[in-house]
Amino acid sequence: AQSVTQLGSHVSVSEGALVLLRCNYSSSVPPYLFWYVQYPNQGLQLLLKYTSAATLVKGINGFEAEFKKSETSFHLTKPSAHMSDAAEYFCAVSGTYGQNFVFGPGTRLSVLP
Amino acid sequence: DSGVTQTPKHLITATGQRVTLRCSPRSGDLSVYWYQQSLDQGLQFLIQYYNGEERAKGNILERFSAQQFPDLHSELNLSSLELGDSALYFCASSSRTGSGNTIYFGEGSWLTVV
């Protein structure tokens, strides 16, 4: 069975600062890993996903994540935060064909001017 | 726009009532998922259907049921509603082919039980 933990339910950064959102997973099979973003009053939107092709995955809006098997981590980063990045971010893990698609509890990112 | 359509967007109903939420998946997607999102419980997986058949079940209450029809749209039925059922209900869909299937979310249906 898969599970996901996200360290920090709320992260605040200043505009222009580095964004680092942490995700650790547990999986009994080689995982597929995802980051989704949810803006206020909207559905979840895919930011990026890891499917074993490359350990460093680039997504939309300047975000990227690195898969580290030894640390069972898939942290999300962005070099310079923008006010529009304020949202809730969810890490998720699944097996092949989408079964057991498990979401973490989410991290709310605030960007301070 | 993810291509997943949910109706209604907002719904207010009284305790004890029954409601039906509808979802049309992305064109070609065979799998449909239902999630409940609330402040205290976070994002909870309810149930998954694949091509009309139940594939996985999560934290779905017995008062709730779902089905996927031959045209692949899905409905989530919530009955004997309680105040605690107030939440945002998401539908999501994915295709079967390809590894690490991405699931695509609709905009959600806001349910308020008063």
Side-chain angles (χ1 to χ4, degrees), chain B residues 73-94:
Chain B
H73 91 271
S74 177
E75 293 181 356
L76 178 67
N77 299 297
L78 315 174
S79 62
S80 303
L81 285 167
E82 302 174 358
L83 295 178
D85 298 327
S86 297
L88 181 56
Y89 291 84
F90 284 113
C91 173
S93 73
S94 70

Side-chain angles (χ1 to χ4, degrees), chain B residues 12-107:
Chain B
I12 301 175
T13 191
T15 54
Q17 294 298 305
R18 171 190 171 96
V19 299
T20 297
L21 308 181
R22 182 188 168 98
C23 170
S24 294
R26 293 189 323 150
S27 178
D29 282 359
L30 299 178
S31 200
V32 169
Y33 309 75
W34 286 98
Y35 288 84
Q36 178 194 58
Q37 187 177 39
S38 60
L39 285 176
D40 55 345
Q41 297 285 336
L43 192 62
Q44 296 283 319
F45 168 67
L46 296 178
I47 198 164
Q48 177 196 0
Y49 279 83
Y50 173 74
N51 203 21
E53 295 189 3
E54 183 182 304
R55 176 59 62 94
K57 186 176 276 193
N59 300 322
I60 189 167
L61 300 173
E62 286 191 10
R63 299 183 285 109
F64 297 179
S65 64
Q67 59 185 128
Q68 186 179 27
F69 295 87
D71 67 352
L72 301 178
H73 91 271
S74 177
E75 293 181 356
L76 178 67
N77 299 297
L78 315 174
S79 62
S80 303
L81 285 167
E82 302 174 358
L83 295 178
D85 298 327
S86 297
L88 181 56
Y89 291 84
F90 284 113
C91 173
S93 73
S94 70
S95 64
R96 185 182 190 276
T97 58
S99 58
N101 281 343
T102 299
I103 64 173
Y104 296 89
F105 282 79
E107 294 290 308

Side-chain angles (χ1 to χ4, degrees), chain A residues 3 5 7 10 13-14 17 33 35 38 40 45-46 53 57 64 66-67 73 76 82 87 109-110 113:
Chain A
S3 66
T5 56
L7 185 61
H10 188 197
V13 300
S14 297
L33 296 159
W35 275 100
Q38 184 182 23
Q45 177 184 355
L46 179 70
V57 182
E64 62 182 34
E66 185 173 10
F67 172 69
S73 69
L76 181 71
H82 192 273
L109 175 66
S110 297

Side-chain angles (χ1 to χ4, degrees), chain A residues 15-30:
Chain A
E15 191 173 19
L18 171 72
V19 175
L20 170 60
L21 304 182
R22 299 178 187 276
C23 171
N24 288 89
Y25 70 92
S26 171
S27 178
S28 57
V29 297

